[in-house]
Amino acid sequence: ILINEDKRPKQRGSMTIDNVWEPSQARKLGPYFHDGRRRIDYVLTYTVQKPVSMSPTSSGSFVRGLRQSLSRSLRRSTSSAQDDPENASELGCQEDVKRVRREEFEDNLMEMGLELEKDEGTKIPGVGFLKIHAPWDILCREAEFMKLKMPTKKVCPIMIIIHNFMEKISQFFNKMTKPLQPNVEDSKMETIKHLSYPFSREKQHLFDLSDKDSFFNSKNRSLIVHGVLKRTKCVRGKHNVGKCFQHSEAQINKNKIILLGNGVYTSAYPLHDVSNTSLLLYDEWARYSIFYKYQPIGLIRKYFGEKVGLYFAWLGVYTQMLIPASIVGVIVFLYGCATLDDNIPSMEICDPRNNITMCPLCDRVCNYWKLVAACGTARASHLFDNSATVFFSIFMALWATMFMEHWKRRQMRLNYIWDLTTFEEEEVSGASPSRAFQHLQILYCHQEITVKLTCTDRMPAYMTTLVMMCFMICATFVVVLGVVLYRIAIMTALQLTQTPATNVRATVKTTAAIINLIIIIILDEVYGALARWLTVPKTDKSFEERLIIKSFILKFLNSFTPIVYLAFFRGRLVGRPGSYIYVLSSFRMEECAHAGCLMELCIQLCITMLGKQLIQNNLFEIGIPKLKKMLRRRKTGMDTQEEELEKKLRRHEKDHFLGPFIGLSPEYMEMIMQFGMVTLFVASFPLAPLFALLNNVIEIRLDAKKFVKELRRPLAARAKNIGIWYTLLRGISKVAVIVNAFVISFTSDFIPRLVYQYMYSPDGTLHGFVDHQLSFFNVSHFRPGTEPLEPMLGNQKVEVCRYKDYRDSPWSDTPYDFSREFWCILAARLAFVIVFQNVVMLMSDFVDWLIPDIPKEINVQMQKERTLFVEMFMKEEQGKRILWNNQGESPCQPRSRRISNNI
Amino acid sequence: ILINEDKRPKQRGSMTIDNVWEPSQARKLGPYFHDGRRRIDYVLTYTVQKPVSMSPTSSGSFVRGLRQSLSRSLRRSTSSAQDDPENASELGCQEDVKRVRREEFEDNLMEMGLELEKDEGTKIPGVGFLKIHAPWDILCREAEFMKLKMPTKKVCPIMIIIHNFMEKISQFFNKMTKPLQPNVEDSKMETIKHLSYPFSREKQHLFDLSDKDSFFNSKNRSLIVHGVLKRTKCVRGKHNVGKCFQHSEAQINKNKIILLGNGVYTSAYPLHDVSNTSLLLYDEWARYSIFYKYQPIGLIRKYFGEKVGLYFAWLGVYTQMLIPASIVGVIVFLYGCATLDDNIPSMEICDPRNNITMCPLCDRVCNYWKLVAACGTARASHLFDNSATVFFSIFMALWATMFMEHWKRRQMRLNYIWDLTTFEEEEVSGASPSRAFQHLQILYCHQEITVKLTCTDRMPAYMTTLVMMCFMICATFVVVLGVVLYRIAIMTALQLTQTPATNVRATVKTTAAIINLIIIIILDEVYGALARWLTVPKTDKSFEERLIIKSFILKFLNSFTPIVYLAFFRGRLVGRPGSYIYVLSSFRMEECAHAGCLMELCIQLCITMLGKQLIQNNLFEIGIPKLKKMLRRRKTGMDTQEEELEKKLRRHEKDHFLGPFIGLSPEYMEMIMQFGMVTLFVASFPLAPLFALLNNVIEIRLDAKKFVKELRRPLAARAKNIGIWYTLLRGISKVAVIVNAFVISFTSDFIPRLVYQYMYSPDGTLHGFVDHQLSFFNVSHFRPGTEPLEPMLGNQKVEVCRYKDYRDSPWSDTPYDFSREFWCILAARLAFVIVFQNVVMLMSDFVDWLIPDIPKEINVQMQKERTLFVEMFMKEEQGKRILWNNQGESPCQPRSRRISNNI
């Protein structure tokens, strides 16, 4: 039943007349057809070419005209993606084709049994709405096809078998966390559960069909309509639509068809549901003031579907797991503070009686210096480089495993509660892939995708991708190198002007870190766009995965290359006095401060993490939208009138002005990068989990607000797990083990201290460690032209200076060769890496194996449900048998025969 | 319809009279009830107490008597597990209870709709048979419950989309392998496939029910009956069966109930199917002469079910994958042979001009010796310690990954062909676990398992398990230590008798390896039994998994501890001349021959692998059964008569004499240990894959023979994958990477050679490497009493001797300390381990990620099938709608209403 209100009104009986305001104004503005009875389950929008010539046919031209101008200005500011209707004449041919195809598609939809209503340019000129309603029959049929699990009348008590002791703990815990639970009935521990069963019209007696309007909720209705839309072919016959059609086919090779969706429709979305659920969601989820509460996951799932529900559940679990990590991190940091004054190496460095002359830090202009000058840095380094750090690294590696295990169990629990245990991912992935682009994807025709792309067709695209990826990765490295050179150059320049050394270092470090941060943020955005542009679509599922992997690689490298450089390369490629390494033939490679590069790594991490979160979250996600809104209001200057008109907009028109839902990938990506920050270099920055925790507490409510208020309602996609993101998490936590092993053994002085203590120390303590670390250099061996201008330190001529390295002394047989200690410590470092990596990996695997993926009580419960069903069907079966026995018939004979018997 | 032929014959119409031979003798002896019509789908056996008092009721007493005595002797030799009926009087009370429970159980079975026939002690005295037949109605009902996928009438062409080039290769390959394909229609590339759909009585029109007898094949029929048996409760009411019953309940705590199955029934099995399938299986699978052919996997699955099919498919893939590994292994070995004469170190050792005096190999009695004496060993070592070995290690690590990936894809393909893609493992694991013990498991009552075992109940069992496991692991270590001591002691003893050194070494090595082998084989059997005894059952699935894990740990340690000792500890804990390490205060720790321990490791591996395979396979699996059979025949001395009588036995009686199927675990375990041998130390023994390949070619046919001829037919268990075995495979291949890294870097001389070549060699070759490896020892530093009795070598007094280690010379500042070279090489070795481990793991992960788990064509095909189904149902739906529209009715109204409308 297609009701195009402009062209053929009053064609059938079940239709309402436009502009006649019925008493139930609220219902009228709600998500209903004009008859106020049939729900709008899905909306497609398209561009209408001649908005002016079309609108006069309807009455009330003044009000309409006002509205039009208003909404046009609104549209410009919000939906910039659409074509400008002014230059439509050029596209005339294309527009015709689009209209033809639209009409065919709509005919096909009606053939499938859907009811349609059109709304062309009524209030919002240039935009046509195709409202779709699925009647009860279609809902039933499709639910059966989709094997949608619906609650049956049969209830099953949830009997969680826990040992008595555990039960008490659990009760106590529930009582304690009561104020943290959201005020939603849903989240309270339910004692009964309606068993679910795939909907089938033949088993209707199982379901409670007393209220047909609410049996399928709005989420399921839109899912069903979406399913029908996907299956509907847009070209019915084989008739030719002329040259324009061929043109659009040529576009396939440009691989843009999916994104542009042929332009036949411009967008597709289900409607927001202005019901109790939606309001409750706002009150109990999307407000900052309830940041300490659990999220109402059940409600989120009910409204947004499983996929979005899983994202927020995951975010919740991650945030929750960050709490213990933060606490331990803070304790480790405090331990560093507390033992600051007991640390023998820094005591020795700070001891003024210690009279060690160090070699100059730069050529010619720098002087010899006393080791006492490094006292401050040495003390600060101890905060992040002590034995507790090693413990914390191991702890965090296990934490990552625990987090993943915990999530797997939570996911399984949710799968059970949400009746997804028997839901097959494959079926969906095959049929309705690419959640991120689903709204656009449904609009391209299924027939066209079967155009066979051979290897040779794809080769140029693959090559482009490969070359561009390499290019961008190189760009990242070049940027890092640039920052390094900046640092060296500025350092040299500042030293020439004789600024005090500490100030120089602090300034350079901080500015370099900030420059890095800014470049990271800029490149992040660029790379995200580029990766999308580069991805060759194959099927949509793999399209999304490829996109994610590409963006991930680029963003990961972008964020972590500067940090990796700091951790593992800085200060290692320096050479030695008399034989320094130079870059660009004049700049000496930068050295670390005396107590290792750990301190600088720490600063870089801190700035990157804090800065990224502050700028990306607060500025990009909160600040800019608010600013935009404010500016717009001030510009138009008619706040109240606009608001009033907005109130009169129908639901589907209101939703049109909201931002489109572009998938969860950006949200996940942000969190994954944060997870990388938290785990990868945790050995050098134990406060990372705390920062992440603080950010996430805000992030959850921020995202919630966005989903409830600012975006179109996403299609309620079903999903059993978080897909590729889990793989990425696993990958990061594996890499984290290796990275942390290297940070501890190579970046920190942990291993040299240990080796000194147990192999070289005369009394088994660290006394003398500082001296042991420093090699001797005879100043007469300086390369000509590089010796310091001032050969004196204080009032003494310097003949031998010291530098931090394990090399033979100038008076040995092999001067300046790596000493036996060097090789011994290197072996110890490498051995530590092997032991750490394998022990931690073994422990992780053990934890993984120890914790069952499926919680025990869920397993028990699922088995019980199965038994209940079997019993139920057996009873039914017996009933039937008795019936048939009375009729003298077997229940398993073909129906036709049975019927013929009856006749 | 229960027909107990001894007690109540001729009760109903559908029954045959015993001992009246009907014309179709073959059918009579086949798997049918006495009426020759109804198939026996399942058989339960039980002990009959008074066989003598019962048999006289039937006629033909002479023949019967002869038969009885015969089968009694047969029974004694084959089925020793049963109780002796002579001392049955003591067990009278228990027997009564068992009979009562049997009767109850049988009543319940009949209530479920199954048809039964009893056969008590007719031909085989003391054994009662309960033959079960499932009529068509029950088959339909249960198939619907089990969601058994059955082929529909709808066919779908298998269109495998491959690029043209690939297609040609594939065609060529198919042509080439034509003679390797078994002569079974099934295995030929099918071009159409019957779509499968879960059987449902409401959708009967989908299926081809023209031949009801063959619609459900014997495999499915037995599966269905098994399902009913599992669900049937054995105690109907709550009536008390007296004290005996309580006794049997007390057994629960002894945790033996599952294995003994309460003794109510003694065994349960479906019958072999003497049809074309079975004969074809023998001809095309179970003969040694067709060892070069592929297995008819489809046929195996059709007859034995998916689980057994998967095992043989896995074995086939493994064997196939061993072919490239063997080829590369042989090439690597040949490379070693070819480069034997170009190897500079062994050339230097063998050069008689080289005049290096080595320190004695034992205290006092041994002399100084010339390095030239080690020439033979050095040359032999080169066969297994050359640069190709490193390549081969990497190759084998990747091979293991490829194997696993290949298997995953094959499994997925089989899942698709066997219609298991939507089959849920959970449902089965919950309901019908423990394939290995399934035949016994069905016999314990479901009600009893719900007895709640608390932590405190389980604690003693857990503790026992833990203590015993530790004890057995210690036992393994002690045994290895014992062998080491044996070797040291014998060596010393032989040296005292002045036997030539090479003979001594060879003898000792070989005898020690053989002793090790024998101990390994003995402990293997012991541990297998112990692990089974130790496992605390929880649910049956986890029971089997625990059992497997425990056996695996024990057997793995048992097999590999001696090898690990040889590879990593032997020759390392020796000390140095003048300061040797002694065990038991008098025995010096054993040293390796000059060219590393790799040679000895190789011999040990070779003997273990060959010996284990020869003894376990050929002796245990072929030899002993044949010997037994021969002995028995000779003893009874009436070959022909017995054979003739055997011919007259009915199918279920014949099957009774076959061995029970005890699950696939032993088969898998054997292969997993072999996989360990092939991958773990492959760096030291490149011929391992070849040996494994030769073994497996025989193993496949051996197992096939066993399954077809010597075992009762296993229940056709459904399984989607090989379960925990895959996890173990993954684990082994992970460990293999690390082990191989250590073997290359620590056991072989690869790294020292490399370091010498690039850091110390004056000319960049290996000239001088032998000298560089040897440290100096001043003979005056020998501990008093340990210096050799003969201070001369030839006619020269020895003042300085050499030994293989990197230590400072006696005349340096730090005599006999580890030298700088030592630490440098150690660092290089450790670095190599890190690089090797991470690079290989990364490559493996990359390969894993690169190869999609689901083959592309299967994905496409599955999607197509789904589309076909949707189209089919849509057509059906439209048909219905037209029908209903004519009747003015909606298809989705509750049935009751529709019916009332009709009335």
Side-chain angles (χ1 to χ4, degrees), chain A residues 140 201 808 820 877 892, chain B residues 140 201 808 818 820 877 892:
Chain A
C140 288
R201 281 164 295 175
D808 281 342
R820 190 185 299 201
E877 209 53 52
C892 197
Chain B
C140 289
R201 282 165 294 174
D808 281 342
F818 287 117
R820 190 186 299 203
E877 210 52 55
C892 196

Side-chain angles (χ1 to χ4, degrees), chain A residues 562-568 570 596-607 681 683-685 743 747:
Chain A
I563 298 171
V564 166
Y565 166 76
L566 266 185
F568 300 125
R570 174 128 189 236
C597 292
L598 206 66
M599 199 59 218
E600 299 195 22
L601 175 59
C602 193
I603 292 172
Q604 174 82 46
L605 272 171
C606 190
I607 288 181
F681 288 90
S684 54
F685 188 41
V743 167
T747 314

Side-chain angles (χ1 to χ4, degrees), chain B residues 113-180:
Chain B
L114 295 178
E115 296 181 4
L116 311 177
E117 191 177 65
K118 266 190 172 177
D119 213 348
E120 280 189 1
T122 44
K123 284 178 203 144
I124 306 158
V127 180
F129 291 95
L130 178 71
K131 296 173 278 182
I132 305 175
H133 166 78
W136 176 248
D137 291 359
I138 305 302
L139 290 175
C140 289
R141 188 187 71 199
E142 294 296 324
E144 191 175 327
F145 277 6
M146 294 167 90
K147 287 168 191 155
L148 218 58
K149 276 198 164 182
M150 300 302 295
T152 60
K153 283 183 248 175
K154 184 102 184 168
V155 293
C156 166
I158 293 185
M159 185 186 69
I160 295 182
I161 300 166
I162 306 176
H163 304 297
N164 281 335
F165 179 63
M166 288 299 286
E167 208 159 357
K168 269 176 196 159
I169 287 186
S170 159
Q171 273 175 1
F172 176 72
F173 188 75
N174 279 343
K175 220 165 161 185
M176 284 297 289
T177 58
K178 195 84 191 283
L180 300 184

